[in-house]
Amino acid sequence: MKKIRFSLIIFFVFQQIFSQSINLNQSYLEDEIRDLQILNKLKSKSSLSIRPINIDYEIDSLMNFNLFKKDNKISILPIDLISEFNSHLPYNRNNGIMIPNRGIQTVFSPGIYLNFNFLEVQFKPEILLSENLYFDGFWDGHYPVIISKRQNYWNHIDNPERFGNDFYNEFSIGQSFIKLNFKDISIGLSNENLWWGPSIRNSIMLSNNAIGFNHLTLNSKKPISTPIGNFEFQLVTGKLIGSEFTQSYNEFEYAGSLTYVEKNKDWRYFQGINIVYSPKFIDGFSIGFIRWVQAYSKFIETNKDYFPVFDNLLRNKDKYGYNTGTLEGLRDQAAGINFRWIWKDSKAEIYAEYYRNDSAANLRDLLLDSDHSRAATIGLQKIFDVKKDSYYKFSWEWTQMEQSNSKLLRNWGSDISIVVISWYHHDAITHGFTNRGEVLGASIGPGSNSHYFSLSHNNNNRTLGLSFEIVDQNNDFLYYAFHNAKDFRRYWKDFNLELSFRKKIRNYWIDIKSIYTKSLNYQWALDESNAGQGYDYYIPGIDRNNFHLKFRLLIPLNF
């Protein structure tokens, strides 16, 4: 274990020379920190519920003193090189600037870092090259009424199946920022991807599933110590924009009418707050509150509503009123709580998240219908068979985005026969909770559920892992589209088998993942050619296979 710890320290010593945070393209390094916390080998009090992680603080925690001066410096950052390949269908999860793609796509991210007293500047752009080959999207064999329902569903979110029909490339300022630091507080302008909450695979409220967005940030650099415990926080105000790509079937007509509705051209004003409290009297425990609000910029400007995240949580206290048709319907918001608890003696952790995407009318409504518009995650990790240079880790995470039966009685003011509004969809904010066409929260997407198991072996500088995941793909749409027909055959379910390998060679980090996916009833499609051939009602669906390969390399440039 000493070698494991020493190896990580050496990396952070190197990283400290170049940067003050681990960006979300380097999530495999966050895994190392998390493991050390569970093993009680790290004095850090960080909840890991506000990311990117501040390296400066973690180095102090690891070594209890600074090896490097914190005065003026300018340095070349390590290069992040990331490539993904999909054989038949897009596997697109928590990969930032990358798009839903078949074929190869690659991100190249160099950078430079400047620290001058209280001024901190990082320029770390991202260059994306994507093959963007054709793949089968929503099945054209569905009945016209089902296609019209799919289009209606898309009309409430900016989430195109494909980003155009040709080779796709993108240049972004990526994980760049400029900040002013005052003791434990930082304020600045950033484009970094953010991850809010303790979850590892599906962060419901904010993740790196989409490209980063421009935002102002006011945040703690490290846990702020008080007599009752530690506090961490981040307040973000940003700009979300649309993808400018149309949905599939945008020229489809049903009952003599065009089903596609053009999106609002306005950008969206986003504001979110994340507060985490780690009580002094419960070792290893942290509890957090997250809330975000978004609205089109014209609404914000007209109503001078520049701090919506501080408005009342309950609808009966809302300044815009409670009744249907009020201005409150022109804002989209979500709020909820999370916790993480490290059991150091057991070398384990448990964490959970619970949020609502629709405000309760009052406290009584919250207590009576607590499942309305909710999404939840629960997970645990256990490290065992710890030896001098190695250990095993078991991980489990369950996420449910699918809406509860409350939708049968109330559905954000919409009748189930008209449209089902899922998480990340909205009736008035027709872009939904997205940026540049991708969901900003859980990577499994609206209406979906995930059940994930993993077993890994860490041997000094090498990690081998085997994982299995079951994903229910958008059950909300399934119920909306097929509830009249009572067609229970069409559940679309993915089975993902993953092998992973990670190794540190000198100062280079290599991370490789290979995933085989078996999709049953892909796009909720049934193979009608099997009808009458020995099958009764329950005929097989149209299944698909995909092979996904991801390669990440961290390249130091130490001149």
Side-chain angles (χ1 to χ4, degrees), residues 189-240:
L189 176 65
S190 173
N191 194 71
E192 293 176 290
N193 281 112
L194 306 174
W195 188 287
W196 282 3
S199 294
I200 296 173
R201 291 185 60 82
N202 284 294
S203 179
I204 296 171
M205 296 295 269
L206 205 55
S207 74
N208 65 329
N209 190 60
I211 188 173
F213 59 92
N214 293 336
H215 60 269
L216 296 170
T217 177
L218 174 65
N219 59 274
S220 56
K221 293 185 62 181
K222 66 178 184 179
I224 300 173
S225 180
T226 73
I228 61 172
N230 296 326
F231 287 88
E232 303 164 71
F233 74 91
Q234 185 171 30
L235 174 65
V236 167
T237 301
K239 178 180 181 180
L240 306 178

Side-chain angles (χ1 to χ4, degrees), residues 77-307:
L77 292 172
I79 293 174
D80 288 302
L81 180 64
I82 308 169
S83 287
E84 288 188 356
F85 168 77
N86 286 302
S87 62
H88 293 85
L89 305 171
Y91 181 92
N92 190 54
R93 305 276 291 273
N94 297 328
N95 56 4
I97 191 175
M98 288 185 170
I99 65 171
N101 170 77
R102 183 174 76 85
I104 299 174
Q105 58 180 337
T106 299
V107 173
F108 178 77
S109 179
I112 190 168
Y113 174 81
L114 169 69
N115 188 337
F116 187 81
N117 293 327
F118 56 83
L119 175 65
E120 186 180 10
V121 179
Q122 177 170 292
F123 180 61
K124 191 164 177 51
E126 296 172 336
I127 303 167
L128 168 67
L129 301 176
S130 179
E131 204 170 0
N132 199 24
L133 299 177
Y134 171 83
F135 59 87
D136 293 332
F138 189 67
W139 188 46
D140 58 9
H142 282 300
Y143 292 112
V145 63
I146 302 302
I147 297 177
S148 70
K149 287 186 175 184
R150 186 57 172 153
Q151 186 60 260
N152 198 17
Y153 202 77
W154 278 328
N155 285 336
H156 296 83
I157 188 172
D158 178 27
N159 195 205
E161 290 187 300
R162 292 189 66 196
F163 282 44
N165 300 317
D166 302 313
F167 185 87
Y168 182 90
N169 59 73
E170 175 80 32
F171 175 84
S172 166
I173 61 173
Q175 311 306 311
S176 301
F177 59 77
I178 178 169
K179 298 178 181 179
L180 299 176
N181 300 314
F182 305 95
K183 295 184 178 180
D184 297 338
I185 306 297
S186 179
I187 184 172
L189 176 65
S190 173
N191 194 71
E192 293 176 290
N193 281 112
L194 306 174
W195 188 287
W196 282 3
S199 294
I200 296 173
R201 291 185 60 82
N202 284 294
S203 179
I204 296 171
M205 296 295 269
L206 205 55
S207 74
N208 65 329
N209 190 60
I211 188 173
F213 59 92
N214 293 336
H215 60 269
L216 296 170
T217 177
L218 174 65
N219 59 274
S220 56
K221 293 185 62 181
K222 66 178 184 179
I224 300 173
S225 180
T226 73
I228 61 172
N230 296 326
F231 287 88
E232 303 164 71
F233 74 91
Q234 185 171 30
L235 174 65
V236 167
T237 301
K239 178 180 181 180
L240 306 178
I241 57 179
S243 67
E244 300 183 359
F245 292 106
T246 57
Q247 303 286 4
S248 305
Y249 299 94
N250 62 306
E251 297 181 355
F252 180 79
E253 293 186 2
Y254 180 71
S257 299
L258 188 68
T259 57
Y260 170 73
V261 177
E262 189 174 355
K263 295 282 191 291
N264 192 322
K265 299 296 185 183
D266 196 8
W267 60 274
R268 283 156 292 141
Y269 182 95
F270 167 85
Q271 189 168 78
I273 189 168
N274 186 356
I275 303 173
V276 184
Y277 169 53
S278 301
K280 192 173 184 178
F281 49 86
I282 306 179
D283 188 35
F285 180 78
S286 61
I287 185 168
F289 170 80
I290 301 176
R291 187 188 189 189
W292 56 253
V293 181
Q294 66 162 341
Y296 286 115
S297 67
K298 289 183 179 179
F299 173 90
I300 297 295
E301 184 178 358
T302 300
N303 296 282
K304 309 299 180 185
D305 194 8
Y306 298 111
F307 296 96

Side-chain angles (χ1 to χ4, degrees), residues 213-489:
F213 59 92
N214 293 336
H215 60 269
L216 296 170
T217 177
L218 174 65
N219 59 274
S220 56
K221 293 185 62 181
K222 66 178 184 179
I224 300 173
S225 180
T226 73
I228 61 172
N230 296 326
F231 287 88
E232 303 164 71
F233 74 91
Q234 185 171 30
L235 174 65
V236 167
T237 301
K239 178 180 181 180
L240 306 178
I241 57 179
S243 67
E244 300 183 359
F245 292 106
T246 57
Q247 303 286 4
S248 305
Y249 299 94
N250 62 306
E251 297 181 355
F252 180 79
E253 293 186 2
Y254 180 71
S257 299
L258 188 68
T259 57
Y260 170 73
V261 177
E262 189 174 355
K263 295 282 191 291
N264 192 322
K265 299 296 185 183
D266 196 8
W267 60 274
R268 283 156 292 141
Y269 182 95
F270 167 85
Q271 189 168 78
I273 189 168
N274 186 356
I275 303 173
V276 184
Y277 169 53
S278 301
K280 192 173 184 178
F281 49 86
I282 306 179
D283 188 35
F285 180 78
S286 61
I287 185 168
F289 170 80
I290 301 176
R291 187 188 189 189
W292 56 253
V293 181
Q294 66 162 341
Y296 286 115
S297 67
K298 289 183 179 179
F299 173 90
I300 297 295
E301 184 178 358
T302 300
N303 296 282
K304 309 299 180 185
D305 194 8
Y306 298 111
F307 296 96
V309 78
F310 295 107
D311 289 348
N312 290 309
L313 283 170
L314 301 177
R315 294 287 295 276
N316 66 331
K317 301 293 185 180
D318 194 278
K319 66 182 180 182
Y320 292 121
Y322 166 67
N323 296 324
T324 302
T326 62
L327 289 176
E328 170 53 28
L330 299 180
R331 299 193 306 184
D332 180 23
Q333 60 179 302
I337 60 174
N338 61 74
F339 79 86
R340 179 178 180 232
W341 198 350
I342 304 173
W343 299 330
K344 296 177 182 178
D345 291 341
S346 301
K347 295 181 175 59
E349 70 165 329
I350 185 172
Y351 57 88
E353 302 185 7
Y354 180 91
Y355 309 105
R356 287 174 56 115
N357 197 203
D358 193 30
S359 297
N362 50 39
L363 182 59
R364 186 180 184 87
D365 179 31
L366 179 62
L367 295 175
L368 290 174
D369 194 5
S370 56
D371 273 353
H372 173 59
S373 74
R374 63 94 182 92
T377 288
I378 185 169
L380 64 85
Q381 294 199 112
K382 165 67 177 174
I383 292 177
F384 57 97
D385 195 23
V386 179
K387 298 178 181 178
K388 181 179 180 181
D389 296 325
S390 69
Y391 59 85
Y392 288 88
K393 180 174 68 174
F394 171 78
S395 302
W396 169 74
E397 185 173 293
W398 171 84
T399 299
Q400 185 172 40
M401 303 300 302
E402 173 189 338
Q403 291 307 287
S404 68
N405 287 335
S406 173
K407 67 178 179 287
L408 300 174
L409 300 177
R410 57 193 289 193
N411 190 51
W412 290 264
S414 299
D415 188 278
I416 190 172
S417 63
I418 302 174
V419 65
V420 170
I421 303 295
S422 300
W423 262 80
Y424 312 131
H425 289 65
H426 196 263
D427 191 41
I429 314 299
T430 55
H431 286 84
F433 189 54
T434 64
N435 185 49
R436 298 286 298 276
E438 294 186 277
V439 167
L440 281 164
S443 61
I444 54 175
S448 300
N449 309 313
S450 168
H451 214 153
Y452 175 81
F453 304 87
S454 175
L455 180 66
S456 62
H457 178 235
N458 189 315
N459 185 4
N460 200 5
N461 291 324
R462 185 210 64 192
T463 301
L464 293 173
L466 175 65
S467 307
F468 181 67
E469 181 183 34
I470 303 172
V471 178
D472 302 316
Q473 292 282 4
N474 205 342
N475 281 348
D476 285 350
F477 174 75
L478 169 76
Y479 303 142
Y480 163 55
F482 299 102
H483 79 281
N484 286 332
K486 302 295 188 290
D487 194 343
F488 57 84
R489 304 167 296 172

